[in-house]
Amino acid sequence: MALFISSFAVLAQALCLTNAFFVPATRVARRGIKPLRAAATGDEVALFPFASEPETTAALWERIDDVVMGGVSSSKIVATEGGGAEWRGIVRTDGGGFCGTRTATLEEPLDLSAYDGIYIDAALVSDEDVARRAWKCTIRTGASRGEVVHSAEWTPSVGEGGAPCRVPFEDFKLVRGPRLVEGAPPLNASACEKVYGFGLTLSKFGAARPGATPVVENFRDGPFAVKLNGVGCYGAAAAVAAAPKRLAVGGSKPNSPGSPIKTNGIILGVALALLRPIASLVFSEEGRRRAQARKQLVQGGKAKNGWAARRYGQRVIKSGVKGLGPVAAAAEGLREFAKDSAAYLLSLPLRLMFRGIFGLARLIRKLQGKKPMPAL
Protein backbone atom coordinates (compact mmCIF):
# COMPACT_ATOMS: atom_id res chain seq x y z
CA MET A 1 0.00 0.00 0.00
CA ALA A 2 2.86 2.36 0.72
CA LEU A 3 4.18 1.69 -2.78
CA PHE A 4 0.77 2.52 -4.24
CA ILE A 5 0.46 5.79 -2.30
CA SER A 6 3.99 6.83 -3.23
CA SER A 7 3.47 6.03 -6.91
CA PHE A 8 0.13 7.81 -6.98
CA ALA A 9 1.62 10.90 -5.34
CA VAL A 10 4.40 11.06 -7.94
CA LEU A 11 1.88 10.65 -10.74
CA ALA A 12 -0.38 13.36 -9.32
CA GLN A 13 2.56 15.73 -9.02
CA ALA A 14 3.51 15.04 -12.62
CA LEU A 15 -0.02 15.74 -13.79
CA CYS A 16 -0.04 19.01 -11.85
CA LEU A 17 3.17 20.05 -13.60
CA THR A 18 1.62 19.12 -16.93
CA ASN A 19 -1.39 21.28 -16.21
CA ALA A 20 0.73 24.20 -15.06
CA PHE A 21 3.04 24.33 -18.05
CA PHE A 22 1.09 22.88 -20.95
CA VAL A 23 -2.30 24.57 -20.66
CA PRO A 24 -2.33 27.59 -23.01
CA ALA A 25 -1.85 30.93 -21.29
CA THR A 26 -4.72 33.36 -20.94
CA ARG A 27 -3.13 35.80 -23.34
CA VAL A 28 -3.33 34.20 -26.73
CA ALA A 29 -0.47 34.62 -29.21
CA ARG A 30 -1.41 35.47 -32.80
CA ARG A 31 1.94 35.70 -34.53
CA GLY A 32 2.01 37.37 -37.93
CA ILE A 33 -1.50 38.83 -37.60
CA LYS A 34 -1.76 42.50 -38.42
CA PRO A 35 -3.80 44.66 -36.03
CA LEU A 36 -7.11 46.12 -37.21
CA ARG A 37 -7.95 49.78 -37.57
CA ALA A 38 -11.51 50.49 -36.47
CA ALA A 39 -13.44 52.22 -39.27
CA ALA A 40 -16.38 54.61 -38.78
CA THR A 41 -19.39 54.75 -41.13
CA GLY A 42 -22.27 57.06 -40.22
CA ASP A 43 -23.08 56.39 -36.57
CA GLU A 44 -21.33 53.00 -36.54
CA VAL A 45 -17.72 52.02 -35.84
CA ALA A 46 -16.69 48.61 -37.21
CA LEU A 47 -14.40 47.15 -34.58
CA PHE A 48 -14.26 43.76 -36.29
CA PRO A 49 -14.74 44.19 -40.07
CA PHE A 50 -15.22 40.57 -41.14
CA ALA A 51 -16.47 41.59 -44.59
CA SER A 52 -13.39 43.63 -45.58
CA GLU A 53 -10.66 41.85 -43.58
CA PRO A 54 -11.94 38.32 -42.98
CA GLU A 55 -8.71 36.44 -42.28
CA THR A 56 -7.20 39.08 -40.01
CA THR A 57 -10.47 39.57 -38.12
CA ALA A 58 -11.22 35.86 -37.74
CA ALA A 59 -7.75 35.32 -36.24
CA LEU A 60 -8.70 37.61 -33.34
CA TRP A 61 -11.50 35.29 -32.21
CA GLU A 62 -11.33 31.94 -30.44
CA ARG A 63 -13.96 29.29 -29.83
CA ILE A 64 -15.46 28.60 -26.43
CA ASP A 65 -17.90 25.74 -27.08
CA ASP A 66 -19.67 23.53 -24.55
CA VAL A 67 -16.55 21.39 -24.04
CA VAL A 68 -16.04 23.57 -20.96
CA MET A 69 -19.00 21.70 -19.41
CA GLY A 70 -18.34 18.28 -20.91
CA GLY A 71 -20.17 18.72 -24.22
CA VAL A 72 -18.98 17.91 -27.72
CA SER A 73 -20.28 20.84 -29.78
CA SER A 74 -17.79 22.48 -32.10
CA SER A 75 -17.56 25.75 -34.02
CA LYS A 76 -15.06 28.07 -35.66
CA ILE A 77 -14.93 31.35 -37.56
CA VAL A 78 -13.42 30.82 -40.99
CA ALA A 79 -12.67 33.07 -43.94
CA THR A 80 -14.74 31.93 -46.93
CA GLU A 81 -13.44 31.47 -50.46
CA GLY A 82 -15.88 34.00 -51.88
CA GLY A 83 -14.85 36.68 -49.38
CA GLY A 84 -16.07 37.51 -45.91
CA ALA A 85 -16.24 35.12 -42.97
CA GLU A 86 -18.64 32.55 -41.53
CA TRP A 87 -19.14 31.17 -38.06
CA ARG A 88 -19.73 27.48 -38.69
CA GLY A 89 -20.27 24.56 -36.40
CA ILE A 90 -22.40 21.77 -35.01
CA VAL A 91 -24.41 22.09 -31.80
CA ARG A 92 -24.96 18.84 -29.91
CA THR A 93 -27.25 18.76 -26.90
CA ASP A 94 -25.63 15.69 -25.33
CA GLY A 95 -23.64 16.99 -22.37
CA GLY A 96 -23.94 20.64 -23.35
CA GLY A 97 -25.91 22.47 -26.00
CA PHE A 98 -24.12 25.60 -27.14
CA CYS A 99 -21.43 26.95 -29.43
CA GLY A 100 -19.59 30.15 -28.64
CA THR A 101 -16.82 32.37 -29.88
CA ARG A 102 -15.08 35.28 -28.19
CA THR A 103 -12.26 37.69 -28.84
CA ALA A 104 -8.86 36.71 -27.55
CA THR A 105 -7.38 38.97 -24.89
CA LEU A 106 -6.89 42.47 -26.33
CA GLU A 107 -3.54 44.14 -25.74
CA GLU A 108 -5.37 47.19 -24.38
CA PRO A 109 -9.03 47.60 -23.34
CA LEU A 110 -11.35 49.67 -25.53
CA ASP A 111 -13.03 52.86 -24.37
CA LEU A 112 -16.63 52.68 -25.63
CA SER A 113 -18.11 55.11 -23.13
CA ALA A 114 -18.97 57.60 -25.90
CA TYR A 115 -21.26 55.12 -27.68
CA ASP A 116 -24.77 53.77 -27.11
CA GLY A 117 -24.28 50.04 -27.67
CA ILE A 118 -22.91 47.43 -30.02
CA TYR A 119 -24.15 46.13 -33.35
CA ILE A 120 -23.78 42.71 -34.96
CA ASP A 121 -24.08 42.53 -38.73
CA ALA A 122 -24.71 38.82 -39.29
CA ALA A 123 -27.03 36.50 -41.18
CA LEU A 124 -28.04 32.87 -40.65
CA VAL A 125 -27.33 31.25 -44.03
CA SER A 126 -27.55 27.53 -43.22
CA ASP A 127 -31.33 27.54 -42.65
CA GLU A 128 -34.18 29.83 -41.58
CA ASP A 129 -34.73 28.59 -38.00
CA VAL A 130 -33.53 31.68 -36.16
CA ALA A 131 -36.32 31.41 -33.57
CA ARG A 132 -35.47 27.81 -32.66
CA ARG A 133 -32.16 28.88 -31.20
CA ALA A 134 -31.09 31.33 -28.50
CA TRP A 135 -28.61 33.99 -29.64
CA LYS A 136 -26.58 35.87 -27.05
CA CYS A 137 -23.75 38.39 -27.14
CA THR A 138 -21.42 39.33 -24.30
CA ILE A 139 -19.28 42.26 -23.24
CA ARG A 140 -16.41 41.77 -20.83
CA THR A 141 -15.62 44.83 -18.68
CA GLY A 142 -13.05 43.13 -16.45
CA ALA A 143 -9.56 41.87 -17.18
CA SER A 144 -10.41 38.40 -15.82
CA ARG A 145 -11.17 35.62 -18.30
CA GLY A 146 -13.69 34.08 -15.90
CA GLU A 147 -17.35 33.34 -16.58
CA VAL A 148 -18.70 36.64 -15.22
CA VAL A 149 -19.70 38.85 -18.18
CA HIS A 150 -22.53 41.12 -19.30
CA SER A 151 -24.91 39.28 -21.62
CA ALA A 152 -27.81 40.27 -23.89
CA GLU A 153 -29.93 38.71 -26.62
CA TRP A 154 -29.49 39.48 -30.31
CA THR A 155 -30.96 38.11 -33.53
CA PRO A 156 -29.22 37.50 -36.86
CA SER A 157 -31.10 38.18 -40.06
CA VAL A 158 -32.30 35.29 -42.22
CA GLY A 159 -30.26 35.19 -45.40
CA GLU A 160 -27.95 37.91 -46.59
CA GLY A 161 -28.97 41.53 -47.01
CA GLY A 162 -30.62 42.06 -43.61
CA ALA A 163 -30.01 45.03 -41.34
CA PRO A 164 -27.49 44.80 -38.48
CA CYS A 165 -28.86 43.96 -35.04
CA ARG A 166 -28.28 46.78 -32.56
CA VAL A 167 -28.06 46.00 -28.85
CA PRO A 168 -27.98 49.00 -26.45
CA PHE A 169 -25.72 48.75 -23.43
CA GLU A 170 -28.76 48.85 -21.13
CA ASP A 171 -29.89 45.45 -22.46
CA PHE A 172 -26.80 43.74 -21.07
CA LYS A 173 -27.24 42.00 -17.71
CA LEU A 174 -24.49 40.63 -15.51
CA VAL A 175 -24.33 36.83 -15.61
CA ARG A 176 -22.13 34.12 -14.15
CA GLY A 177 -22.09 31.39 -16.76
CA PRO A 178 -25.76 30.76 -17.69
CA ARG A 179 -27.13 32.27 -14.45
CA LEU A 180 -28.18 35.83 -13.78
CA VAL A 181 -26.34 37.71 -11.04
CA GLU A 182 -29.40 38.96 -9.20
CA GLY A 183 -29.32 42.50 -7.88
CA ALA A 184 -26.57 43.64 -10.27
CA PRO A 185 -27.45 46.80 -12.24
CA PRO A 186 -27.59 46.65 -16.05
CA LEU A 187 -24.63 47.82 -18.10
CA ASN A 188 -24.32 51.48 -19.07
CA ALA A 189 -21.99 53.57 -21.21
CA SER A 190 -19.96 54.89 -18.29
CA ALA A 191 -19.11 51.31 -17.30
CA CYS A 192 -17.67 50.70 -20.79
CA GLU A 193 -14.54 52.82 -20.40
CA LYS A 194 -12.57 49.59 -20.35
CA VAL A 195 -13.96 46.80 -22.52
CA TYR A 196 -11.72 43.75 -22.63
CA GLY A 197 -13.62 41.56 -25.05
CA PHE A 198 -16.77 40.50 -26.88
CA GLY A 199 -18.47 37.15 -27.45
CA LEU A 200 -21.22 35.48 -29.46
CA THR A 201 -23.18 32.40 -28.43
CA LEU A 202 -25.70 30.08 -30.08
CA SER A 203 -27.39 28.04 -27.38
CA LYS A 204 -30.33 25.91 -26.30
CA PHE A 205 -30.36 27.99 -23.11
CA GLY A 206 -32.27 31.24 -23.33
CA ALA A 207 -31.43 34.55 -21.69
CA ALA A 208 -30.87 34.26 -17.96
CA ARG A 209 -33.90 35.06 -15.80
CA PRO A 210 -34.15 35.56 -12.03
CA GLY A 211 -33.98 32.13 -10.44
CA ALA A 212 -33.95 30.16 -13.70
CA THR A 213 -32.32 29.66 -17.09
CA PRO A 214 -35.01 28.79 -19.66
CA VAL A 215 -34.45 26.19 -22.38
CA VAL A 216 -35.51 26.92 -25.96
CA GLU A 217 -38.54 24.86 -26.96
CA ASN A 218 -38.04 22.64 -30.02
CA PHE A 219 -34.39 23.67 -30.13
CA ARG A 220 -32.72 22.97 -33.47
CA ASP A 221 -29.39 21.26 -32.97
CA GLY A 222 -26.98 20.09 -35.64
CA PRO A 223 -25.04 22.09 -38.25
CA PHE A 224 -25.29 25.86 -38.57
CA ALA A 225 -23.57 28.64 -40.51
CA VAL A 226 -23.72 32.37 -39.77
CA LYS A 227 -22.25 34.86 -42.22
CA LEU A 228 -20.41 37.57 -40.29
CA ASN A 229 -20.07 41.01 -41.85
CA GLY A 230 -19.02 43.03 -38.83
CA VAL A 231 -19.19 43.64 -35.10
CA GLY A 232 -18.81 47.12 -33.71
CA CYS A 233 -20.32 49.96 -31.69
CA TYR A 234 -22.84 52.63 -32.60
CA GLY A 235 -24.12 55.97 -31.38
CA ALA A 236 -24.46 59.62 -32.34
CA ALA A 237 -20.99 60.22 -30.91
CA ALA A 238 -19.45 58.02 -33.63
CA ALA A 239 -19.20 61.00 -35.99
CA VAL A 240 -17.21 63.14 -33.55
CA ALA A 241 -15.60 60.74 -31.06
CA ALA A 242 -12.21 59.28 -31.77
CA ALA A 243 -12.49 55.73 -33.08
CA PRO A 244 -10.93 53.09 -30.85
CA LYS A 245 -7.27 52.39 -31.56
CA ARG A 246 -5.97 49.43 -33.50
CA LEU A 247 -7.12 46.08 -32.19
CA ALA A 248 -4.62 43.31 -31.54
CA VAL A 249 -4.38 40.42 -29.15
CA GLY A 250 -1.59 39.90 -26.67
CA GLY A 251 1.47 38.10 -28.01
CA SER A 252 3.86 35.97 -26.00
CA LYS A 253 7.61 36.34 -26.39
CA PRO A 254 10.12 33.49 -26.22
CA ASN A 255 11.65 34.76 -22.99
CA SER A 256 8.59 36.31 -21.40
CA PRO A 257 8.15 36.13 -17.60
CA GLY A 258 5.87 33.12 -18.03
CA SER A 259 8.15 31.16 -20.36
CA PRO A 260 9.53 27.80 -19.19
CA ILE A 261 13.21 28.79 -19.65
CA LYS A 262 13.09 31.99 -17.60
CA THR A 263 10.87 30.47 -14.92
CA ASN A 264 12.57 27.10 -14.48
CA GLY A 265 16.14 27.54 -15.70
CA ILE A 266 17.77 26.38 -18.89
CA ILE A 267 17.80 22.59 -18.37
CA LEU A 268 14.26 22.17 -17.03
CA GLY A 269 12.99 24.96 -19.27
CA VAL A 270 14.35 23.34 -22.43
CA ALA A 271 12.89 19.99 -21.35
CA LEU A 272 9.47 21.56 -20.80
CA ALA A 273 9.68 23.42 -24.11
CA LEU A 274 10.41 20.15 -25.91
CA LEU A 275 7.66 18.26 -24.09
CA ARG A 276 5.03 20.96 -24.59
CA PRO A 277 3.98 19.93 -28.15
CA ILE A 278 3.86 16.28 -27.04
CA ALA A 279 1.65 17.12 -24.07
CA SER A 280 -0.61 19.33 -26.20
CA LEU A 281 -1.09 16.37 -28.54
CA VAL A 282 -1.70 13.76 -25.84
CA PHE A 283 -4.05 15.99 -23.80
CA SER A 284 -5.68 17.59 -26.87
CA GLU A 285 -9.14 19.03 -26.24
CA GLU A 286 -9.87 18.68 -29.94
CA GLY A 287 -8.96 14.99 -29.91
CA ARG A 288 -11.08 14.35 -26.81
CA ARG A 289 -14.05 16.10 -28.45
CA ARG A 290 -13.68 14.01 -31.61
CA ALA A 291 -13.54 10.80 -29.56
CA GLN A 292 -16.67 11.74 -27.59
CA ALA A 293 -18.49 12.69 -30.78
CA ARG A 294 -17.67 9.30 -32.35
CA LYS A 295 -18.82 7.52 -29.20
CA GLN A 296 -22.14 9.38 -29.21
CA LEU A 297 -22.66 8.62 -32.91
CA VAL A 298 -22.28 4.92 -32.13
CA GLN A 299 -24.55 5.12 -29.07
CA GLY A 300 -27.15 7.08 -31.03
CA GLY A 301 -27.26 4.49 -33.78
CA LYS A 302 -25.89 6.78 -36.51
CA ALA A 303 -22.73 4.68 -36.84
CA LYS A 304 -22.02 1.00 -36.15
CA ASN A 305 -18.48 1.51 -34.90
CA GLY A 306 -15.65 4.00 -34.62
CA TRP A 307 -14.61 3.66 -38.25
CA ALA A 308 -18.17 4.25 -39.42
CA ALA A 309 -18.28 7.34 -37.16
CA ARG A 310 -15.13 8.66 -38.84
CA ARG A 311 -16.73 8.19 -42.26
CA TYR A 312 -19.84 9.98 -40.98
CA GLY A 313 -17.63 12.88 -39.92
CA GLN A 314 -16.02 12.97 -43.36
CA ARG A 315 -19.39 13.07 -45.11
CA VAL A 316 -21.48 15.28 -42.85
CA ILE A 317 -19.02 17.58 -41.10
CA LYS A 318 -16.09 18.10 -43.45
CA SER A 319 -18.01 18.00 -46.72
CA GLY A 320 -21.37 19.32 -45.50
CA VAL A 321 -20.64 21.83 -42.71
CA LYS A 322 -17.15 22.95 -43.63
CA GLY A 323 -17.78 22.81 -47.36
CA LEU A 324 -14.54 20.99 -48.13
CA GLY A 325 -14.03 19.20 -51.42
CA PRO A 326 -13.36 15.44 -51.55
CA VAL A 327 -9.57 15.85 -51.61
CA ALA A 328 -9.47 18.49 -48.83
CA ALA A 329 -11.90 16.46 -46.68
CA ALA A 330 -9.82 13.31 -47.12
CA ALA A 331 -6.61 15.19 -46.29
CA GLU A 332 -8.11 16.65 -43.09
CA GLY A 333 -9.45 13.24 -42.13
CA LEU A 334 -6.00 11.69 -42.56
CA ARG A 335 -4.42 14.45 -40.46
CA GLU A 336 -6.94 13.85 -37.68
CA PHE A 337 -6.36 10.09 -37.80
CA ALA A 338 -2.59 10.63 -37.65
CA LYS A 339 -2.97 12.93 -34.63
CA ASP A 340 -5.28 10.51 -32.84
CA SER A 341 -2.93 7.59 -33.53
CA ALA A 342 0.13 9.53 -32.34
CA ALA A 343 -1.69 10.63 -29.18
CA TYR A 344 -2.70 7.04 -28.43
CA LEU A 345 0.84 5.71 -28.89
CA LEU A 346 2.40 8.51 -26.83
CA SER A 347 -0.12 8.01 -24.02
CA LEU A 348 0.33 4.23 -24.01
CA PRO A 349 3.16 4.24 -21.38
CA LEU A 350 1.01 6.40 -19.09
CA ARG A 351 -1.95 4.06 -19.58
CA LEU A 352 0.22 1.03 -18.77
CA MET A 353 1.58 2.77 -15.68
CA PHE A 354 -1.96 3.53 -14.49
CA ARG A 355 -2.99 -0.08 -15.05
CA GLY A 356 0.08 -1.32 -13.19
CA ILE A 357 -0.50 0.95 -10.20
CA PHE A 358 -4.21 0.19 -9.89
CA GLY A 359 -3.62 -3.49 -10.61
CA LEU A 360 -1.20 -3.62 -7.70
CA ALA A 361 -3.66 -1.74 -5.50
CA ARG A 362 -6.47 -4.15 -6.36
CA LEU A 363 -4.21 -7.12 -5.58
CA ILE A 364 -3.29 -5.67 -2.19
CA ARG A 365 -6.95 -5.01 -1.35
CA LYS A 366 -7.84 -8.55 -2.39
CA LEU A 367 -5.11 -10.03 -0.20
CA GLN A 368 -6.36 -7.89 2.70
CA GLY A 369 -9.92 -9.10 2.14
CA LYS A 370 -11.27 -5.63 1.35
CA LYS A 371 -13.90 -4.61 -1.18
CA PRO A 372 -12.49 -4.71 -4.76
CA MET A 373 -11.69 -1.43 -6.47
CA PRO A 374 -13.79 -0.51 -9.53
CA ALA A 375 -12.30 -1.19 -12.95
CA LEU A 376 -10.56 1.62 -14.82
Side-chain angles (χ1 to χ4, degrees):
M1 181 59 70
L3 176 62
F4 164 71
I5 295 174
S6 177
S7 301
F8 189 81
V10 171
L11 181 61
Q13 189 174 16
L15 290 176
C16 289
L17 284 173
T18 299
N19 183 65
F21 294 110
F22 298 136
V23 174
T26 300
R27 296 179 65 80
V28 180
R30 293 290 189 276
R31 300 180 185 278
I33 300 299
K34 297 180 180 179
L36 295 172
R37 169 66 72 181
T41 303
D43 66 342
E44 296 179 347
V45 177
L47 300 173
F48 299 96
F50 288 101
S52 59
E53 300 183 58
E55 293 185 1
T56 303
T57 308
L60 298 178
W61 292 68
E62 60 188 16
R63 71 170 184 265
I64 177 170
D65 302 320
D66 59 16
V67 293
V68 298
M69 57 183 294
V72 291
S73 300
S74 176
S75 70
K76 187 178 183 181
I77 297 179
V78 297
T80 58
E81 295 181 358
E86 284 188 3
W87 178 26
R88 300 172 179 170
I90 298 179
V91 181
R92 299 183 179 90
T93 55
D94 297 330
F98 69 88
C99 283
T101 181
R102 67 180 180 185
T103 56
T105 305
L106 301 177
E107 288 186 343
E108 295 183 14
L110 300 175
D111 183 0
L112 304 184
S113 59
Y115 303 93
D116 299 329
I118 69 169
Y119 75 86
I120 303 166
D121 188 355
L124 180 64
V125 295
S126 56
D127 53 77
E128 298 182 353
D129 286 333
V130 172
R132 291 177 60 190
R133 303 174 174 103
W135 306 86
K136 292 178 279 189
C137 54
T138 61
I139 293 178
R140 186 177 297 275
T141 57
S144 170
R145 297 290 279 178
E147 59 180 358
V148 177
V149 293
H150 285 87
S151 176
E153 295 180 284
W154 70 285
T155 305
S157 60
V158 178
E160 299 185 44
C165 178
R166 291 189 169 188
V167 187
F169 288 138
E170 289 74 16
D171 284 2
F172 286 85
K173 305 296 190 297
L174 191 66
V175 298
R176 178 178 285 105
R179 301 183 182 278
L180 183 71
V181 178
E182 298 188 30
L187 190 64
N188 56 60
S190 62
C192 293
E193 292 183 348
K194 291 185 177 181
V195 173
Y196 290 85
F198 304 87
L200 301 174
T201 304
L202 184 164
S203 176
K204 74 173 183 180
F205 304 105
R209 302 282 189 269
T213 301
V215 177
V216 177
E217 293 185 8
N218 195 25
F219 174 73
R220 175 163 179 167
D221 58 359
F224 73 92
V226 177
K227 182 174 178 57
L228 297 174
N229 297 312
V231 175
C233 51
Y234 72 90
V240 295
K245 60 183 67 177
R246 288 181 180 270
L247 303 179
V249 299
S252 61
K253 300 179 180 179
N255 202 30
S256 64
S259 68
I261 295 178
K262 189 167 184 179
T263 305
N264 302 282
I266 295 178
I267 297 177
L268 181 57
V270 169
L272 291 172
L274 293 175
L275 290 173
R276 178 174 290 167
I278 298 176
S280 64
L281 180 63
V282 172
F283 299 100
S284 169
E285 172 193 302
E286 182 181 357
R288 184 190 70 82
R289 184 169 60 247
R290 287 198 300 267
Q292 288 191 354
R294 290 194 298 270
K295 183 177 179 181
Q296 290 184 3
L297 286 173
V298 174
Q299 292 176 343
K302 293 184 178 180
K304 293 182 178 180
N305 50 46
W307 287 106
R310 285 185 182 274
R311 290 195 295 272
Y312 179 92
Q314 291 290 118
R315 184 178 70 257
V316 177
I317 301 176
K318 295 177 178 57
S319 300
V321 179
K322 295 184 178 180
L324 300 177
V327 176
E332 183 168 324
L334 288 174
R335 280 197 302 270
E336 290 178 355
F337 177 73
K339 287 182 179 180
D340 294 342
S341 301
Y344 177 82
L345 293 174
L346 290 171
S347 64
L348 190 57
L350 187 61
R351 295 171 186 268
L352 294 175
M353 183 172 65
F354 262 115
R355 290 186 179 277
I357 291 174
F358 282 93
L360 178 60
R362 282 196 293 268
L363 177 60
I364 293 174
R365 291 181 66 88
K366 182 178 181 180
L367 294 175
Q368 292 177 343
K370 296 182 179 180
K371 183 179 179 180
M373 293 177 63
L376 287 175

